[in-house]
Each structure stands twice: as C-alpha cells, then as structure tokens.
Amino acid sequence: MGPKHPLPNFCHPTGTTAPFVPKAGAVVSTSEDHSLEEFGYRQELHRSLGRYASFAAGFSFISVLTTVFQFFAFGYAFGGPVFFWAWPAVLAGQLLVAACFAELAARYPISGAIYQWSSRLSNASFGWFTGWIMVIGQIVVVAAAALALQMVLPALWSGFQLVGADPAPTSRDGAANAAVLGVLLLVLTTLVNVVDNRVLSVVNRVGVTAEIIGAVLIVVLLLTHAKRSPGITFHTGTAAQSGLLGALLVGSFTAAYVMIGFDSAGEMSEETHNPRRTAPRTILTALGAAGLLGGLVVLGGLLAAPSLTDGHLAVDGLSYVLTSTLGDGVGRVLLADVVVAIAVATLAIQTAACRMLFSMARDRQLPFARTLARVNPRTGMPGAPAVVVGVLAAALLLLNFASPDAFLAIGTTCIVMLYLAYAMVTGPLLIRRLRGEFSTAGTDETGAPLFSLGRWGIPVNALALLYGLAMTVNLAWPRAAVYDPAGGHWYFQWFTVLFLAATLVAGAGYRMYRKHTAVRSAVPEAAVQEVAA
C-alpha cells in the first residue's frame, strides 16, 4: 500500500487541535474492524454489504427512472428533441469525475467520502466546507426526489391526488399534493434508515433489481412502438427557445440531475466488505449502467411519443408517453415500477446524507456532534442523522404549498451544490498529482493493485475538473426562463447564486462561532489546571 496521508487536525470542542480519536468502547462487529484504524477511527457501522449492495447504493441514488421521469418534460420544454445529445456529453464528463473518485475510494474507504477525500487532499477547513456544501445539497436532493411521486402516482390512479383536482406539478393543487405525498414517503424512508442496515440493504437491492428490469422493459416497449426515426434527435423543434447551443445547455439539466450520486458506493465504504476493491468498481459500473439505461429511456420516449408538438410532452413527460402509447394496462404496471424506483431513490439519497452527517459529526465538526455520531450497537445505524435529514427535507417540501417555482429553484440549486462539491475534490486531487504527492501504489484486500489511472491520471483529472466547473457555471447561470418563468421575481432568477452565497456565509459564521467558543472554553480549563498544579 502507498504512503498513508495523516488524518487532518480537527478542532475539538475544548479548543485543542489533535487527530480525532473515537470514544472507547465503540462496538466492533466484524473481522474487518481494524481496517479503519489507520484513519483514526473504530469500526462502529456494521459491515454487511456485498458487491451488488454497493452497486445498488450508487445506482439507486442516480435512479434513472426517478429522475428521467421527473425532468424529461423540463429538458424537452427548453431543448426540444435535440436535448437528447446533452445526455452522452454529461455522461462522458461524469465518467471522468467517477474515475477520479474510484481512485480515492480505493485509498480512503471512509463514510462521508466527499468530505473525507477533500479534507485529506487539501486541509481541514477546505474539507469542512466541501462537506457542508455537499450535505446541504444532499438534503435538498432528498426532498426533490420525494416530489417525483407527483409525476407518477396521480397518473397511476386519480385517488392519489389528495389535494385539489389538477395533478400538474406546476399547478397550485399539484404542488401541494406533491408535498403531501413527499412527506409520507419521507416518513417511510426515515424509518428504514433507523431500523437496521441489513433491512436497508435488502430494500435497496430489491428496489434496484425492480428498477433495472422496469427500465429495460420500458426501453424495449418504447423502441418497438417507435413512430419516428432517431434522426429526430437532431431537430430543436419549436420547443427550443434559444438556438441549438442554448437548447443543449439548458437541456443538459436533465442529464446533470440524473447522473449524480454515484459516489454513494464510497459513502457506504465502512459498511462494505473489501471496500478498497469493491467501491471503485461499483462507482463506475453504477454510473455506466445508469447512463446507458437512462439514455435509451430518453431516446425511446422521443421516438414513441404520440406527438412532439401537441404540448403534452413538455408538461406530462414520460408518464404521458407510457400511458398513451402502451395503453393504460401496461403503462400503469410500468408506472408502478417507477413508484418503487422513486421510493428506493429517496431512501438511498437520505442514507448518503446520513453518512455524511455522521462522518462530519464523528470528527466533531457539526452542532450536536455527540448525538449525530452515535451508532446503535444493535442495528449498526446512526439514527439521529436519519431523523435530521428527514425532518429538514420535509420542511423544504412545505415550500411547495407557497410556490412551485420556489422549490424548482431550490431543486436546481442542489445540483449546482453537488457539482461544486465534486470540483472541490477533483481540484485538490489535481494539485496533489501535479506536485507528485499522490501515490498510485498499493494493494487492496485481495492483494491486487489498487484501482489507478496510471499515466492517464493528470489528463483525466484535469478534464474532470474543467468539466465540473463548466457545468457548475452552466447550471447556476441566472436564466430568467428557467428560474423565473412567471417573471417579476428577480430573487428566483438569482436564487442559485444567493442560496450558495447564504450557505457559505452560514458555514463561515458557524466556523467563527466554534473558534470563538473554543478560545473561551480554554480559559477556565487553563485556570483549573493551574489550581491543580
């Protein structure tokens, strides 16, 4: 194994700076419990995930059916059929990022992957802000994923429209109903995230298997019911409002939203058998499989849609294509499979956010750190983070009662935050490579060489960073047509920039408060030591 990077010094509540040492008496549950000692931790989470469960963690976060069904209408409304070509472009860029993450997952198999990797590649403060941005983005993604039920359940059965009569997500009734359905789903996912990680693993694996089968069936059925040739994807159509480049840039939002979260396999490293070998491979396979299936679903929807000009595709999206093309019977069965995918995706995203909170709290970098870092010795689950994420995500859903546009702005903002957090990992990694400080040597648990990009490391890393920064700017650009379609709300148009700025200010304020209280607490402690002497 290559040279170890020491655990960065974290500021303790007492005001001293020293590597964090977990409390004595932590539960050790498997024969692999010493694998974390080199990073300064004890094994508290239960190792019970195999390779497929690790793959499921990444694939279910990406959740092709959830996000494609949720954002297909958005991409088509702004880009027309040509928005399809944004999909392979985003997939190629994300594979570059995933390759860098695979290297890091092999060398730092720790929960809270993005935060841990950034801390070890740069410094404690930079890593903290990376984790802070990432966890807030994840909490918003949890809420956004739960909202996807509104795209499917009312189309499956009108009885699921519990509020009002208009199921359109952009209507006041649809937005309110989406919030109600989302909160009910969050109650269920929070319970699963508290119960036991074996239950969590089973639910994830079953759900991902159902989603893959459903996605393959949808692709086959849509392509066999195609009404036009693939050449239609070279047309912008009447939907594209700002030319070919604008159509691709805004159309890329759909692909950008889908292809995030592949790092979840790294988030679950402390619960995975042989993580140095397993996590790098499942990061890449989860993204590759999701990218391929998602692209085919988008293509099938465009080819099989009854009409590209009647306005339905830009409002109702793929739900409209399934029920109108395949008939109510088959369409409803496939929509039921999409419901399963949405539930499992929400669960997986919440789990990833829980592990990020747990990891940062274990280093005493968050308020109420002791509670958030506590692991139930019987279940092997950190219960408090699950409740916190569930409550905060549910609170965000309530914004839908006030304004659907407000949540659309927040939902798009969370993508920007995740892309920025990814760049805050690939950036320091590139600096390490250029300085010759990143070792590619070492072996995994089976004695095989660790996953490595070898001589391709620098060019792949550089392209990954450039892509990540370019996509962050593209997603955050204050387009009035995207962020303020109704007009007259400048704060919606600039919402992404304002939200990110508020996140950074809040984080800096908390860091200053922590530093101030640490200095104050050090004074009486010094006085006690003097009296004792």
Side-chain angles (χ1 to χ4, degrees), residues 326-346:
L326 306 178
D328 278 349
V330 176
R332 289 177 191 276
V333 170
L334 294 175
L335 286 178
D337 188 71
V338 176
V339 173
V340 173
I342 292 171
V344 174
T346 306

Side-chain angles (χ1 to χ4, degrees), residues 426-449:
T426 54
L429 176 59
L430 179 61
I431 294 174
R432 282 292 188 102
R433 290 187 197 275
L434 294 174
R435 291 176 177 174
E437 298 174 353
F438 184 74
S439 173
T440 58
T443 56
D444 60 27
E445 296 87 353
T446 66

Side-chain angles (χ1 to χ4, degrees), residues 67 98 166 198 202 225 237 343 365 383 387:
T67 43
D166 187 354
R198 288 171 296 184
V202 169
H225 287 75
Q365 296 298 294
V387 175

Side-chain angles (χ1 to χ4, degrees), residues 117-145:
W117 297 342
S118 182
S119 296
R120 286 169 165 76
L121 293 170
S122 54
N123 56 60
S125 295
F126 190 84
W128 186 90
F129 274 101
T130 304
W132 175 249
I133 291 171
M134 184 70 180
V135 76
I136 292 178
Q138 286 174 326
I139 291 171
V140 180
V141 175
V142 172

Side-chain angles (χ1 to χ4, degrees), residues 10 40 144 334 419:
F10 295 107
L334 294 175
Y419 270 80

